[in-house]
Amino acid sequence: MPIKVGRVPYLEAEPFYFDMERRGFELRDTNPRQLGDALASGELDAGPAHLSDVFRLEDRFEPVSGFCFSTQNRAMSACLYSQLPMAELGGVTIGVSDEDVTAVKLVEVLLRRKYGVAPGQFAVRPGDVIRPDETFDAFLLIGNRALRRRRGVRGFAHRFDLGEEWTQWTNLPFVFSRWVVRKDLDDRTKAVLEDALYVGLEEGVDGLYHLNEPRDELLMLPRDVVEYVQGIRYYVGRSEQQAIARFREYLADLGG
């Protein structure tokens, strides 16, 4: 029986899946929140879990080598759009997508620890939280939706890149997700998954660097895609390990 792998349909995740179907993995499309829940329930055997879920599920899942999605400075795909500066967001309601997991926690860490303010609440909305009949002082977008609005949103004077905010504060990258796999799978299956990820990063990332056509659904020209990929690190190194430990410490302080 093939192992079931969660496929997150975001630009940064595309290279990972380059060689998986050929190897017989069963890919199931999902978003970050659904992926974490599906891993927890046993519906999926592996996938790029957001860091909050990596911590939550570590009794049953282990990292696949060091594969991750980490930003070295700007994230571009995790942004807070606001009518106010970050330091003035205390007590306000922030709109968030129901796809998200870790970025919401990162916003709370930044507000409380870096800026010394507490948000009022996070209002969860399906998909794109911008609606004509509802307004927020600030809202958060991740993944492809954030990339489409990487130049900002009309009516919101401020756009805060969460990766940039974190790195300016800590001088560390930010690890949004890590590949994990069920601990009880056999070693051969784990090795095949690991090899598929290695091939995916070699061939899949190269493919993004050599796009000939624009990505119209993201409003990105090939050069925009290259700029984005250049800011990504797909493997955990020493600085990423330090960043993971730091974020885990901050989450513990927040009680989450």
Side-chain angles (χ1 to χ4, degrees), residues 150-206:
R150 65 193 178 279
R151 294 185 176 88
V153 174
R154 182 177 299 177
F156 292 82
H158 305 277
R159 170 186 168 276
F160 301 104
D161 185 302
L162 299 189
E164 190 171 33
E165 286 285 331
W166 169 270
T167 299
Q168 288 176 351
W169 179 41
T170 65
N171 199 33
L172 291 169
F174 189 77
V175 181
F176 283 91
S177 62
R178 294 195 70 174
W179 271 83
V180 297
V181 64
R182 276 176 38 207
K183 290 181 177 181
D184 60 357
L185 287 180
D186 63 89
D187 290 342
R188 180 183 179 281
T189 299
K190 293 176 183 177
V192 173
L193 176 61
E194 181 177 345
D195 190 61
L197 290 171
Y198 276 118
V199 172
L201 290 191
E202 182 175 343
E203 300 295 335
V205 172
D206 186 68

Side-chain angles (χ1 to χ4, degrees), residues 173-245:
F174 189 77
V175 181
F176 283 91
S177 62
R178 294 195 70 174
W179 271 83
V180 297
V181 64
R182 276 176 38 207
K183 290 181 177 181
D184 60 357
L185 287 180
D186 63 89
D187 290 342
R188 180 183 179 281
T189 299
K190 293 176 183 177
V192 173
L193 176 61
E194 181 177 345
D195 190 61
L197 290 171
Y198 276 118
V199 172
L201 290 191
E202 182 175 343
E203 300 295 335
V205 172
D206 186 68
L208 291 179
Y209 271 107
H210 293 90
L211 287 176
N212 294 317
E213 300 293 333
R215 295 293 296 265
D216 292 334
E217 79 282 11
L218 301 175
L219 305 178
M220 298 179 80
L221 297 171
R223 66 172 179 268
D224 299 321
V225 174
V226 169
E227 179 186 5
Y228 177 54
V229 175
Q230 285 176 334
I232 297 172
R233 183 174 170 87
Y234 284 112
Y235 206 82
V236 172
R238 183 175 181 181
S239 59
E240 284 78 20
Q241 291 173 340
Q242 293 173 337
I244 291 169

Side-chain angles (χ1 to χ4, degrees), residues 5-66:
V5 176
R7 176 166 55 190
V8 176
Y10 294 166
L11 177 61
E12 65 268 12
E14 289 179 9
F16 286 127
Y17 304 103
F18 178 86
D19 198 40
M20 288 198 177
E21 288 184 305
R22 183 186 70 82
R23 293 174 182 255
F25 294 122
E26 180 182 334
L27 301 182
R28 296 189 179 183
D29 289 340
T30 182
N31 65 45
R33 182 175 295 280
Q34 293 168 346
L35 188 148
D37 291 342
L39 291 171
S41 68
E43 297 174 47
L44 291 175
D45 302 308
H50 268 227
L51 202 56
S52 299
D53 285 328
V54 174
F55 300 151
R56 175 168 69 99
L57 301 172
E58 62 185 356
D59 61 326
R60 288 175 288 159
F61 287 83
E62 63 188 33
V64 183
S65 190

Side-chain angles (χ1 to χ4, degrees), residues 67-83:
F67 295 101
C68 71
F69 165 55
S70 169
T71 59
Q72 302 306 292
N73 184 5
R74 293 183 302 163
M76 294 177 66
S77 57
C79 295
L80 183 71
Y81 305 82
S82 176
Q83 298 177 12

Side-chain angles (χ1 to χ4, degrees), residues 105-114 169 250 254:
K105 296 290 188 181
L106 177 55
V107 168
E108 187 172 7
V109 166
L110 290 169
L111 289 176
R112 293 182 183 274
R113 297 295 297 258
K114 182 179 180 181
W169 179 41
Y250 290 153
L254 294 178

